[in-house]
Amino acid sequence: MADIRRLPTPVAEVWDWQLHGACRGESTALFFHPDGERGPARARRQAAAKAVCGKCPVVEACLKHALAVREPYGVWGGMSEEERARLIAAEPAAVAAGV
């Protein structure tokens, strides 16, 4: 579960970027893995999700949000949960600063 203490305030201007996401209207199953999904099936689903992110006008804001709140699940901002965890582990100060 995400640590909600890191979530931004409930002010529309902070969340408005989500209204412009290429993922709006897509199934959440594309971005979040089902229990037990592994190997090639997971890689295919993540690649399809990342393809949506690749044409998204707010991909940078999405990734910044996911890193700031330490989003534990799903593809956000074109990165899988594993990729974000590695980035956070490698550069925690930069991630905390929103870089």
Side-chain angles (χ1 to χ4, degrees), residues 21-98:
C23 59
R24 286 187 60 87
E26 296 283 346
S27 170
T28 57
L30 181 61
F31 299 92
F32 298 93
H33 66 83
D35 289 341
E37 182 185 58
R38 303 265 188 277
R42 188 169 185 149
R44 281 191 302 274
R45 183 193 47 76
Q46 287 180 339
K50 290 177 182 182
V52 173
C53 296
K55 61 183 179 186
C56 184
V58 295
V59 68
E60 291 176 15
C62 182
L63 180 58
K64 184 176 179 179
H65 165 77
L67 292 171
V69 302
R70 305 292 203 268
E71 180 58 54
Y73 303 109
V75 173
W76 288 77
M79 293 184 82
S80 69
E81 53 211 55
E82 298 87 5
E83 291 166 334
R84 290 191 312 276
R86 283 194 299 271
L87 182 62
I88 290 167
E91 300 199 36
V95 170

